[in-house]
Each structure stands twice: as structure tokens, then as C-alpha cells.
Amino acid sequence: MVRWIIFILIYSLLSIYGFQAIKTVTKINWLHYLFIAVAIIIAGNFIYQFSIGSEGRVLNPAKSYAFGFLLAFMSLNLVIVPILLGEDIVRSALGLYDKLVTKESFYMPSRRKFISQVALGLAAIPFSSLLYGMYKGKYRFRVLDYTLHYEDLPEAFDGYRITQISDIHSGSFDNRKKIEYGINLINEQASDAIFFTGDMVNNKSSEMLPWADMFSQLKAKDGVYSVLGNHDYGDYIDWPSPDAKAQNLADLVDLQRTMGYDVLLNESRFIERDGQRIAIMGVENWGKGGFKKAGDLQKTKANVNPDDFKIVLSHDPSHWEAEILKDDYHYHLTLSGHTHGMQFGIEIPGWIKWSPVKWRYKQWAGIYEELGQYINVNRGFGYLGYPGRVGIWPEVTVITLKKGSNNA
């Protein structure tokens, strides 16, 4: 109860400044009332959604939207507050100066309409961006193409195309047509193999059931391979028993296999062409910072030769720097996801690539190279928590493997 009182007090204080800006800019009463009504509805829905019970710690769609609308509305007020607060300080100083000089009663000058207009104009940028991210950004799929060169790539695999998707988070989906578009986009790439790098669900295997028919349509000549992400283990929900939790994981693995996916649980497969082969190594989730460490790289590489060309599927990119790079084997390409690019950032190719998630993950989106080994961190197909994306769009990665030097 105390936390809600504190929330209401802070929320009300911030909203008062937003209301003051609206009131200064326009004298239309119904707009004033609309602002108040929206503020009440957003706060009321947020309090209601987060007061009722929940199966797990991961937000369901209703909670996600309650959080999303609150975030957008608060972003509006958080931009307005420092501007109008600064104006209040100046107004107070001017009023105090007049009182000391003229010896008259204290009088605070009125708000300047221009200042409020500037505040609202600036506040409209994050506000509209967050609303756009919820309305369209979360399904604004894009294909990112990369070409990677390797001197020791088997000749038979020169020009080999792979498609990577990650972080489906099916428990967040709410639009079948948009997901169907994304599925078709993946298949249109006509890659030789498709790799899914974990987090098929938010909490429970049952979340994937309404979408299994669509994702089972993913096809590639050499198959669809998948690994588990931290959310797939059911660690973010209170299960009635350990057996129920174990059954949930077993059901998810069985479902993926029914969908035609080859689920790799700390094991490897080989794709062969003309007597040559590449190793596909699927490691279970291994993450730093309190995330599950079920991955066993040594077990995964048990039947892989040191001179094999190796592609590792490992959900969390922190695994790459912590273990994969340091291993005595040379792993040519690691495919990861997990970060989502935080679903928020600014990316202008050739100019800027930024997201707050970079402060936690050194490798957070795109291709990185170290010691002659590459990792691609996919920005994710779905979304989680905030039900949208701003600047960091859902991604389908296509990587073409080429034999020889990049300078050739």
C-alpha cells in the first residue's frame, strides 16, 4: 500500500507540471479535462494491472501495455518538468528581486507561453516515439545482410547462406497478420539453414501453442536448428512442483521438434556437402549476471574436431567473451540474441549505433570480431516488457559465408 501512495504522489507531481504546460499553451477547457482524464486512466490501469495476481515475474500483455502507456505518459512529463521547474526558479528569483528592490509584496511573474510550447514540443518526441513503438515499431521487421570471409571455410560451403532469428517471446504477440508477414520474410531469404537462438516463450510452453502452426512453416534445405534461452526454462514463474517445471521444459522441447526444429541441448550436428562438413554446435543458455548457466561448451564439442568449421548457437552473448573466445578450439562464428538491443536506441548506419544496453553488454547488436572469431548478436524477433520498439527494430539476420580473404 505504501508503494502505491509514493507512486501516486510522484506521478501526481509530475503530471501537475504537464497540466501546467497544457494550460499555459491553450485555454481550451476540454483539452485540460482530457489531459486529466488520460492521466487518471493510465495511472488507474497501471495500479490495477500490477495489483492483481500474476503467474510469473515476466509481464503478460495486459501488464506490458499498462507499463507501456505509463512509460510514454511519464516521458512526456519528465521532459516538461525540468524546463518548467527551471522557469519557476527564474520566476521566483525575479519575484524576490522585485520585492527586495521595490519593497512591495512578493509577486511571481506569469508563465511564458513560449517556454511551455518549447517544453511540449520537446516532450512530444519521446512520447510519440514510444506510442509509435507500441503501435507499429514492434512489428517493423527488417532484414540485415552480412558477408563473412574465412580462409579455412570448406570449398563446398563457399556462398552458404544462413538465416538467424532470436527471442521470439511468443507470449507477447497480439497480431497474427504481422507475425505471418515476419515468417514469410524469413522464408523469402531462401537460406540454406535457419538458426533460432533461444527465448521462444516468456514463461510457459503453452504460450507458443497459438503460434506453432505459423513458426512450423519455417523451412530451409539443411533444416531449422534451435537452442534454449533463459526464458525457455520457466525460471520466472512459481511452479506448483519441480516436476511441473521440468514437464514444461520437456513440452517446449517436444513442441519445437514437432514444429520441425532440431533442438540442440549441449550437442552438435554436421551439415555435409561434397564430402566436406561444417559443425553446428548448440549450447544451452549460459549467461553472466545471475542468468542460468546450463550451457556446457565442453560437452557440446565432444564429437567436433579442432579443424572443423564451427558455428556456435548460444543465446547469451556474454558467453562468447567469457568462455568461447578463451577455449582451445577456434569457433568461427557464434550466433546469439538475448539483449533485444533493449528495444530502444538510435541506429543510423555509418553514423551512430547506441542503446543503453551497451552499458551492460559489450556485444549487444550486430557483428563483432575478436581473435579472428565472429559473433552476431541478433536484436530479436519479438519483444518483452515494454510492448514495442523504438529505433531498434525486430531483426532477421542473413549471413553469407565466403571462402577467402575480405580483400580478395
Side-chain angles (χ1 to χ4, degrees):
M1 187 64 176
V2 175
R3 62 172 181 166
W4 291 124
I5 293 175
I6 295 173
F7 165 76
I8 291 171
L9 289 174
I10 295 174
Y11 180 83
S12 299
L13 181 62
L14 295 176
S15 298
I16 286 172
Y17 272 95
F19 178 74
Q20 286 293 321
I22 295 288
K23 193 174 181 181
T24 302
V25 169
T26 177
K27 303 303 179 184
I28 302 175
N29 287 331
W30 69 265
L31 285 176
H32 305 164
Y33 295 135
L34 178 62
F35 181 90
I36 295 172
V38 168
I40 293 173
I41 291 171
I42 288 175
N45 183 49
F46 180 80
I47 292 172
Y48 170 74
Q49 293 295 339
F50 282 82
S51 295
I52 59 179
S54 178
E55 282 191 309
R57 284 174 280 166
V58 178
L59 305 185
N60 60 31
K63 282 183 167 59
S64 290
Y65 276 101
F67 170 69
F69 284 117
L70 178 74
L71 184 64
F73 190 72
M74 291 290 278
S75 74
L76 180 79
N77 292 319
L78 285 171
V79 173
I80 291 173
V81 165
I83 297 174
L84 294 195
L85 183 60
E87 185 190 22
D88 283 346
I89 294 172
V90 173
R91 291 166 61 213
S92 299
L94 291 174
L96 182 61
Y97 175 80
D98 285 344
K99 176 177 174 57
L100 294 175
V101 172
T102 63
K103 306 301 183 180
E104 296 180 1
S105 59
F106 178 79
Y107 170 75
M108 181 177 289
S110 300
R111 290 193 181 279
R112 296 175 61 189
K113 185 176 181 179
F114 172 73
I115 299 297
S116 292
Q117 288 174 328
V118 170
L120 285 170
L122 292 175
I125 297 173
F127 177 68
S128 59
S129 296
L130 288 166
L131 290 181
Y132 173 83
M134 294 166 63
Y135 177 57
K136 283 194 172 181
K138 62 186 177 184
Y139 293 130
R140 188 178 168 180
F141 298 106
R142 64 174 184 169
V143 177
L144 296 183
D145 286 281
Y146 303 100
T147 299
L148 299 180
H149 294 77
Y150 299 92
E151 295 282 1
D152 57 347
L153 178 70
E155 188 73 36
F157 290 89
D158 186 22
Y160 196 80
R161 283 168 59 87
I162 61 178
T163 289
Q164 180 198 2
I165 57 172
S166 191
D167 299 270
I168 290 173
H169 288 290
S170 54
S172 300
F173 290 157
D174 57 11
N175 190 317
R176 286 188 67 84
K177 287 186 177 180
K178 296 295 185 181
I179 299 305
E180 183 178 14
Y181 169 79
I183 296 295
N184 291 336
L185 189 64
I186 296 168
N187 281 330
E188 285 171 7
Q189 307 313 307
S191 290
D192 296 290
I194 296 175
F195 299 119
F196 168 62
T197 48
D199 276 1
M200 181 164 280
V201 298
N202 295 346
N203 288 308
K204 303 172 69 175
S205 63
S206 57
E207 296 167 1
M208 189 61 190
L209 294 176
W211 311 96
D213 61 327
M214 302 181 73
F215 281 90
S216 64
Q217 296 172 20
L218 293 180
K219 303 295 180 184
K221 179 170 57 177
D222 290 330
V224 180
Y225 300 84
S226 70
V227 292
L228 299 174
N230 55 296
H231 283 268
D232 295 324
Y233 294 89
D235 288 341
Y236 307 118
I237 190 169
D238 295 324
W239 296 96
S241 68
D243 288 343
K245 181 180 179 180
Q247 186 61 52
N248 175 75
L249 179 58
D251 289 344
L252 182 62
V253 172
D254 289 343
L255 178 60
Q256 290 193 49
R257 288 172 174 160
T258 301
M259 291 162 55
Y261 295 13
D262 189 350
V263 186
L264 304 180
L265 305 173
N266 291 326
E267 52 191 333
S268 299
R269 303 283 188 268
F270 294 98
I271 298 175
E272 298 188 4
R273 284 190 174 185
D274 301 332
Q276 298 176 321
R277 71 181 190 178
I278 60 175
I280 310 302
M281 307 175 61
V283 185
E284 290 198 52
N285 191 81
W286 191 104
K288 294 176 67 175
F291 287 104
K292 193 176 192 72
K293 288 182 171 64
D296 188 334
L297 184 61
Q298 302 309 310
K299 180 180 178 182
T300 305
K301 74 176 189 180
N303 65 333
V304 178
N305 295 329
D307 59 349
D308 281 323
F309 188 92
K310 309 170 198 67
I311 298 176
V312 180
L313 313 184
S314 182
H315 177 70
D316 193 316
S318 65
H319 188 211
W320 187 63
E321 198 167 52
E323 285 198 343
I324 295 173
L325 281 177
K326 298 176 181 178
D327 195 73
D328 56 349
Y329 274 24
H330 180 90
Y331 300 96
H332 299 77
L333 174 62
T334 299
L335 301 177
S336 299
H338 182 62
T339 72
H340 300 204
M342 204 173 173
Q343 298 169 210
F344 176 84
I346 302 172
E347 289 194 87
I348 303 175
W351 288 86
I352 186 172
K353 175 182 170 184
W354 178 87
S355 168
V357 77
K358 69 176 293 184
W359 296 324
R360 174 154 188 176
Y361 292 96
K362 185 178 177 181
Q363 296 82 28
W364 61 274
I367 297 283
Y368 302 84
E369 184 271 335
E370 193 170 331
L371 302 176
Q373 303 177 70
Y374 291 91
I375 183 174
N376 179 65
V377 184
N378 184 283
R379 294 160 179 81
F381 186 89
Y383 53 92
L384 184 70
Y386 164 62
R389 286 177 175 266
V390 178
I392 306 292
W393 313 119
E395 173 184 341
V396 175
T397 310
V398 177
I399 299 176
T400 301
L401 306 179
K402 294 293 291 182
K403 184 173 180 61
S405 170
N406 192 26
N407 299 320

